[in-house]
Amino acid sequence: MNVLAQTEDKLKQTIESAVIQAELATKEEIPDIILEKPKDKSHGDFATNIAMQLARIARKAPRQIADDIVNQLNQSEASVEKIEIAGPGFINFFMKDDFLGEIIPTILKEDTEYGKTNAGDRKRIQVEFVSVNPTGDLHLGHARGAAFGDVLCNVLDAAGYQVEREYYINDAGNQIDNLALSVEARYLQALGNDVDMPEDGYHGEDIIEIGKQLCVEYGDQWAVTEREERLKFFKEYGLKYELGKIEQDLAEFRVHFDSWFSERSLYKENKITDALKVLDPYMYEKDGATWFRTTDFGDDKDRVLIKQDGSYTYLTPDIAYHKNKLDRGFDQIVNVWGSDHHGYIPRMRAAIQGLGYPVEKFDVKIIQMVNLFENGEKLRMSKRTGKAVALRELMEEVGVDAVRYYFVARSNDSQLDFDMDLARSQSNDNPVFYVQYAYARICTMLKQAESKGISVDNSFDASLLTAEKEIDLLKKLGEFPQVVADAAGKHTPHKVTQYLYDLATLLHSFYNAEKVIDADHLDRTKARIALMKAVRITLSNALQLIGVTAPEKM
RNA sequence: GUCCCAGUAGCUCAGCAGGAUAGAGCAACAGCCUUCUAAGCUGUGGGUCGCAGGUUCGAAUCCUGCCUGGGACGCCA
């Protein structure tokens, strides 16, 4: 249940009927009533700009309209304590604090469910993310996409969407052939031969490792085998090795998928030719290749589907893949892509439309670059040079909690500077510790209470929570379900991180201002313990959403 | 040349389906531990919201142009 939202809905309805009763507008004319939480506490708990919006319709001065509304408003029905008209015509509402009394019991009752809503209306949404080619290690940029996608899914799930997480495996096509050739070269090198890497080869350490491993397992067996057969085997071997490593790294990063979709299955099940049949009206032959007229759908140039040599471009199976996704009946499919793929969006949008699907179902989240800093200097990362900073390295260096926190703390379309030293530091500079410390602090207090024989059951008198810091905490706690729903609806998981930080700040501030355990005021102690339990639950649920641990002791 | 993202305090970033005096952290400065963990708290200073127009009662937020930084513009993936 969402206590705050209920209060808000009630208020909106009351305002609307006041507007109608004051004959300022008819029911059809009234714009959506917008209630905002003013930044400044002196502007009340909620404010609305409805009087300004009605100025044109009612043909009156906004402040006069505001007066009329206030005169018609049934205050007690909406639990309003006080109303003020301010500025150009804002109506500020100061709510009775009694609704706050419901917050703690709600949280204690809902426990791990607190924060969940049905805002998403059970809509089916699929999020495809990471989908890294199985040709090398996951690096920084992938990790950011992984963290973003994972938290987005968590948030969507909590907001009542039916979420499916999918990883698209590029296990067909050129890059996999290159993998086989690279493995071959490293294998032969491991046997002591002087062989050059292929031009488009993968130079990562991992391929060297595969070469050595093959050498240990098979000796020179594959060197004397016919090349075609050798490459076929190396392809499968390399694929399995790389994919295994990716899956393992992701698991350690606390990222799991509901399905791993193989590009090869598209070939096997003729999905590509099926898709091409549908696109046929938009296809034409030129220069010995087959083109897709994406310009019909706003792309800046047409795209090749079938190359001169008869093979598909990368786009072609990807179109079939997206057709397959949409055929599965999702209300929305979300793709999380690195910023270097943003130019790919127009042609995929064209494909969606060419396939006959509404383009609104297709959404892409672009993840901007990550710049890594250590000792004040920028570290380069490049898969080709083999000097990539791998996710694995990062997890070992700074820990999963810090990496995940930093990666979801920022909006996906801002570039991110990741400071290794800061993420590693166990100091108050580090927001991860700051938030976790709030949780640990509460755990300590509750243990303390128990050891002093103070019962921590759920009976308490909410009316004893009247200190300013207590009211602030209660209001913040009440916002949580809306924060989650908002993060889900706007695809902005970083709002959860922000909320966590704010809640932790209020907790620390409260902690320094008020004493929780006080043998001389047992009733107040019990009320504060209940408050602490509610904060603990909310912190824990929020941390769970971003996939960061909640330590009981630090 | 075209397209995408960013430009907000010294630094890193929120805020951007228009709203009141633009926020946070770090850094700087000044305080707070005989009291539940000082990995904390309290306070002070710090801004032409890249620039210029436009729309509006009202613009950091919307529109246009320009500037700067990053990225993308393959019959690569």
Side-chain angles (χ1 to χ4, degrees):
Chain A
M1 188 173 69
N2 188 340
V3 177
L4 220 59
Q6 284 175 352
T7 312
E8 206 174 316
D9 283 347
K10 188 99 196 174
L11 181 57
K12 275 186 196 173
Q13 282 166 26
T14 313
I15 294 168
E16 193 173 306
S17 50
V19 169
I20 292 168
Q21 273 178 38
E23 295 179 353
L24 292 163
T26 63
K27 197 167 169 54
E28 291 72 38
E29 288 172 332
I30 298 180
D32 275 348
I33 301 209
I34 295 163
L35 280 183
E36 54 170 30
K37 282 187 279 289
K39 293 164 216 156
D40 189 334
K41 268 195 245 177
S42 70
H43 293 141
D45 296 302
F46 297 110
T48 182
N49 61 351
I50 189 70
M52 279 103 88
Q53 291 189 310
L54 285 173
R56 221 168 261 163
I57 297 166
R59 289 196 286 182
K60 277 188 184 179
R63 287 197 66 114
Q64 178 61 46
I65 294 170
D67 260 335
D68 294 350
I69 294 172
V70 172
N71 287 336
Q72 289 296 333
L73 198 102
N74 186 333
Q75 296 199 19
S76 62
E77 193 179 314
S79 309
V80 174
E81 170 80 30
K82 187 175 65 161
I83 299 179
E84 283 176 2
I85 297 169
F90 287 103
I91 308 175
N92 295 335
F93 297 93
F94 296 79
M95 307 303 286
K96 288 181 186 158
D97 280 347
D98 56 0
F99 78 95
L100 292 174
E102 294 170 40
I103 289 174
I104 294 176
T106 303
I107 297 172
L108 295 180
K109 181 166 157 270
E110 296 187 7
D111 198 22
T112 54
E113 300 289 302
Y114 183 62
K116 294 190 181 176
T117 59
N118 51 16
D121 212 17
R122 306 299 295 156
K123 282 204 197 82
R124 288 185 64 208
I125 182 164
Q126 190 227 41
V127 182
E128 182 221 320
F129 60 114
V130 189
S131 298
V132 174
N133 287 346
T135 52
D137 281 317
L138 290 167
H139 65 63
L140 236 49
H142 304 136
R144 187 177 182 191
F148 176 89
D150 185 51
V151 177
L152 175 62
C153 288
N154 290 343
V155 162
L156 286 168
D157 183 61
Y161 294 82
Q162 293 185 75
V163 186
E164 187 170 315
R165 300 149 194 258
E166 186 156 296
Y167 186 117
Y168 178 55
I169 309 164
N170 292 108
D171 53 5
N174 245 333
Q175 75 282 356
I176 287 301
D177 293 334
N178 278 336
L179 173 68
L181 293 170
S182 304
V183 170
E184 178 189 47
R186 294 304 191 194
Y187 168 69
L188 295 173
Q189 284 172 2
L191 285 173
N193 298 300
D194 186 17
V195 187
D196 286 339
M197 283 292 282
E199 211 171 304
D200 296 322
Y202 298 104
H203 296 257
E205 298 279 328
D206 46 319
I207 312 289
I208 297 174
E209 196 51 47
I210 296 174
K212 284 183 191 160
Q213 197 172 304
L214 279 164
C215 189
V216 170
E217 282 180 44
Y218 297 98
D220 67 353
Q221 179 188 330
W222 292 104
V224 297
T225 309
E226 197 195 338
R227 187 156 190 233
E228 195 180 330
E229 201 180 322
R230 175 169 73 218
L231 286 175
K232 197 178 162 206
F233 178 79
F234 282 2
K235 189 192 276 192
E236 296 315 307
Y237 192 94
L239 186 62
K240 203 175 157 201
Y241 179 95
E242 294 290 354
L243 213 50
K245 214 149 51 82
I246 287 169
E247 199 169 350
Q248 200 181 328
D249 283 355
L250 286 172
E252 196 172 316
F253 197 49
R254 304 172 194 148
V255 174
H256 301 274
F257 289 89
D258 300 308
S259 67
W260 296 73
F261 190 96
S262 158
E263 182 185 353
R264 280 183 192 171
S265 69
L266 295 167
Y267 288 83
K268 274 186 214 145
E269 297 161 25
N270 296 320
K271 297 289 188 194
I272 299 173
T273 45
D274 289 354
L276 288 178
K277 271 179 210 154
V278 181
L279 283 184
D280 190 65
Y282 308 102
M283 284 158 55
Y284 64 92
E285 304 286 326
K286 195 182 88 181
D287 303 332
T290 304
W291 296 70
F292 172 24
R293 204 181 296 106
T294 54
T295 48
D296 279 5
F297 305 100
D299 197 4
D300 56 356
K301 56 183 101 159
D302 291 342
R303 308 291 168 178
V304 170
L305 292 173
I306 304 171
K307 299 184 234 175
Q308 274 182 347
D309 68 4
S311 65
Y312 297 131
T313 60
Y314 179 82
L315 177 65
T316 313
D318 212 20
I319 289 173
Y321 173 47
H322 281 80
K323 178 175 185 299
N324 174 278
K325 288 206 244 183
L326 289 160
D327 286 345
R328 282 186 258 167
F330 295 108
D331 295 302
Q332 192 173 39
I333 56 173
V334 176
N335 288 12
V336 179
W337 289 349
S339 62
D340 53 340
H341 286 75
H342 81 262
Y344 197 72
I345 296 174
R347 71 193 79 166
M348 189 50 73
R349 287 173 62 92
I352 302 292
Q353 292 168 88
L355 289 168
Y357 282 100
V359 73
E360 298 75 37
K361 287 195 172 195
F362 171 73
D363 193 12
V364 180
K365 297 291 150 201
I366 290 298
I367 306 295
Q368 292 295 331
M369 273 180 36
V370 177
N371 296 309
L372 197 60
F373 289 84
E374 190 166 29
N375 303 319
E377 71 185 71
K378 188 170 166 178
L379 302 180
R380 291 295 309 166
M381 40 151 203
S382 155
K383 199 182 228 176
R384 289 297 159 103
T385 61
K387 285 183 190 165
V389 178
L391 168 60
R392 170 157 297 278
E393 257 175 275
L394 204 59
M395 289 192 288
E396 285 163 5
E397 285 277 339
V398 304
V400 175
D401 284 344
V403 178
R404 288 191 62 116
Y405 187 97
Y406 280 96
F407 280 177
V408 294
R410 298 269 147 75
S411 156
N412 61 290
D413 47 26
S414 282
Q415 290 191 16
L416 179 96
D417 287 348
F418 188 91
D419 184 339
M420 299 264 279
D421 307 301
L422 182 62
R424 244 190 313 245
S425 79
Q426 311 231 328
S427 75
N428 53 357
D429 303 0
N430 193 338
V432 187
F433 285 87
Y434 182 84
V435 171
Q436 290 180 319
Y437 184 45
Y439 182 86
R441 256 191 165 160
I442 296 173
C443 293
T444 304
M445 283 186 274
L446 295 179
K447 263 181 221 140
Q448 191 85 16
E450 268 176 12
S451 73
K452 288 192 177 166
I454 298 166
S455 103
V456 289
D457 62 24
N458 292 345
S459 65
F460 71 101
D461 180 357
S463 71
L464 296 173
L465 298 173
T466 53
E468 190 191 358
K469 306 282 186 193
E470 291 166 342
I471 302 295
D472 289 348
L473 266 175
L474 284 169
K475 287 180 178 172
K476 189 50 95 173
L477 288 174
E479 288 172 22
F480 185 54
Q482 277 161 300
V483 169
V484 177
D486 193 40
K490 291 181 178 161
H491 296 176
T492 49
H494 67 275
K495 285 182 190 296
V496 177
T497 325
Q498 264 166 16
Y499 176 82
L500 258 173
Y501 197 90
D502 291 346
L503 182 56
T505 298
L506 291 178
L507 184 276
H508 288 310
S509 180
F510 164 78
Y511 178 92
N512 276 272
E514 312 289 349
K515 186 108 175 111
V516 172
I517 297 157
D518 183 352
D520 296 332
H521 298 89
L522 266 182
D523 286 342
R524 196 177 66 193
T525 297
K526 287 192 78 170
R528 285 184 171 168
I529 284 173
L531 174 63
M532 289 302 100
K533 287 171 84 171
V535 176
R536 181 169 68 167
I537 287 167
T538 308
L539 283 173
S540 166
N541 292 355
L543 283 166
Q544 182 92 34
L545 283 177
I546 64 168
V548 172
T549 60
E552 298 197 357
K553 227 164 93 176
M554 289 176 74

